[in-house]
Amino acid sequence: MPVTSGAYEELSQTGKLGPQTFELLRQLVHQVRRSSGFPPPEGYAEWSDDAAYDVITAMLTREGAGQLFVTSCFAQAADEASLERLFLASIKNFLIDEAKKTPRGKLRRRIARLMGADDAFRRVPGSPPRWMLSEHPEGAIWQGDLDDLVAEAWRVRGVGITRWNHSGPTPAQTVRALMVILTQVLRHARGAVREEDLAKVLESRFELLAPARFTSLYTDEGALAEPVEASAMVEADADAAAAGGGAADIWQRLTANERLLLPYLDEDAHHAAQLLELGLAQAEAVLAGLKAKLRLALSDDRDRTAVMGALLRRCADPPPEPPL
């Protein structure tokens, strides 16, 4: 077989992905992740050649695409340089799609939507995405230590989040808390900060990506009580087993949609409609039915808090976000 001098020539001669093409893809994965700040794939704490190989493998084995992306790029290329540009675009798009699936990716999208709707913030053109305060001069870029921004976020007192929904509109109180921290952090930075770093700061300050620690229970009058910490709900004592048994019985009586709504009892029907992807009237009926079931099931229980806590532990996996 003739010796090839590059990926384009290799594909021209063999029509298959060979060592030259694979090596080019490896180099381009590293180039994209360095320039755009993408997190390493799941299972890796940092980027390495093995992590890059996993990205390439995932691209080659994707359902509905797979190795077609290589032949598609080659079909559109005229030479080695144009092939590299097409590969780069494919890799970047793939990593964007993967990043959006992660909890931090969802957090980034949420804060980007919030800042984009507020005139106090300005997005800096280019990649990776960065944000700054509108009062800051053009071209001011923060290049400090991330730990410094995290420390600054923790210096802000009197700000907290008691409810973090994994889907649907962000509660107004939560929006205010996020904006206070983002404003203070960006003011301290005196320039544009990467969107990824801002998400990390908020994640640390509010523990946003941890499992939900708050829910709402019913008062004796049937109204919703104030949120309480789930960690305080379940006491490590002899009553835990009984609470778990009661929760298991209630869980069996809930429909799939009711189980999805269980951690979000204090949200309205609009939120339920987004979460369940149903019409407003139908979602409202599901939510009302869930509340009625819980009210009846918990009415005679001496420790409703423990039973509700055991129920919530069954909702370990947060429901997916509705499509943007």
Side-chain angles (χ1 to χ4, degrees):
M1 180 180 294
V3 177
T4 59
S5 59
Y8 183 79
E9 187 174 345
E10 179 179 68
L11 290 169
S12 298
Q13 293 179 3
T14 68
K16 298 178 181 179
L17 188 152
Q20 298 271 10
T21 305
F22 199 86
E23 173 60 19
L24 174 60
L25 289 171
R26 183 194 67 80
Q27 294 175 13
L28 294 178
V29 168
H30 283 305
Q31 181 177 329
V32 171
R33 62 92 173 172
R34 281 194 297 266
S35 63
S36 301
F38 289 107
E42 186 176 356
Y44 292 90
E46 58 185 21
W47 278 100
S48 63
D49 279 346
D50 285 343
Y53 294 147
D54 272 13
V55 169
I56 298 169
T57 301
M59 292 183 70
L60 294 172
T61 57
R62 263 193 308 177
E63 185 176 355
Q67 198 165 332
L68 287 176
F69 94 88
V70 173
T71 53
S72 175
C73 289
F74 173 69
Q76 299 175 65
D79 50 27
E80 186 80 8
S82 58
L83 180 64
E84 286 188 18
R85 289 193 295 272
L86 290 163
F87 278 165
L88 272 173
S90 295
I91 292 168
K92 185 172 183 179
N93 289 336
F94 176 80
L95 289 176
I96 288 173
D97 289 342
E98 291 300 296
K100 286 180 178 179
K101 298 176 185 177
T102 66
R104 185 174 296 145
K106 294 176 181 179
L107 175 58
R108 283 181 57 178
R109 282 184 290 161
R110 185 172 299 202
I111 64 174
R113 287 197 298 268
L114 294 174
M115 289 190 290
D118 192 327
D119 292 339
F121 302 93
R122 182 168 72 243
R123 188 181 188 278
V124 178
S127 181
R130 299 174 188 266
W131 291 86
M132 65 193 310
L133 294 179
S134 297
E135 66 192 44
H136 287 149
E138 293 282 354
I141 302 294
W142 173 81
Q143 295 179 321
D145 191 327
L146 180 61
D147 289 340
D148 184 40
L149 295 186
V150 172
E152 183 63 25
W154 277 103
R155 291 188 188 103
V156 181
R157 301 299 180 186
V159 176
I161 290 178
T162 58
R163 195 172 77 223
W164 178 255
N165 57 332
H166 292 278
S167 62
T170 307
Q173 183 180 356
T174 299
V175 172
R176 286 193 293 271
L178 295 177
M179 294 297 101
V180 167
I181 296 300
L182 288 170
T183 299
Q184 183 59 33
V185 166
L186 289 173
R187 186 167 290 138
H188 177 76
R190 299 181 181 179
V193 177
R194 292 194 321 160
E195 191 174 278
E196 171 79 5
D197 289 333
L198 291 174
K200 289 178 180 178
V201 170
L202 293 176
E203 176 187 348
S204 174
R205 177 61 174 79
F206 294 120
E207 298 182 333
L208 292 181
L209 305 187
R213 295 178 294 131
F214 299 88
T215 189
S216 295
L217 302 179
Y218 290 97
T219 65
D220 291 337
E221 294 76 25
L224 286 174
E226 291 299 315
V228 295
E229 290 196 24
S231 59
M233 289 180 183
V234 185
E235 300 292 336
D237 55 23
D239 291 335
D249 182 57
I250 296 172
W251 184 264
Q252 291 299 320
R253 286 182 266 160
L254 299 181
T255 67
N257 280 342
E258 288 171 341
R259 291 173 182 177
L260 281 175
L261 289 183
L262 191 59
Y264 306 102
L265 292 172
D266 54 347
E267 297 289 353
D268 59 20
H270 293 278
H271 179 91
Q274 285 187 303
L275 182 61
L276 302 180
E277 298 183 0
L278 297 175
L280 183 60
Q282 189 175 357
E284 189 172 18
V286 175
L287 184 60
L290 171 60
K291 291 179 179 180
K293 280 185 182 180
L294 291 175
R295 212 164 19 238
L296 180 63
L298 298 173
S299 60
D300 296 328
D301 201 294
R302 290 181 302 169
D303 198 352
R304 293 177 298 170
T305 301
V307 173
M308 195 66 189
L311 267 175
L312 287 167
R313 293 210 312 275
R314 292 174 174 264
C315 307
D317 298 321
E321 288 197 48
L324 294 178

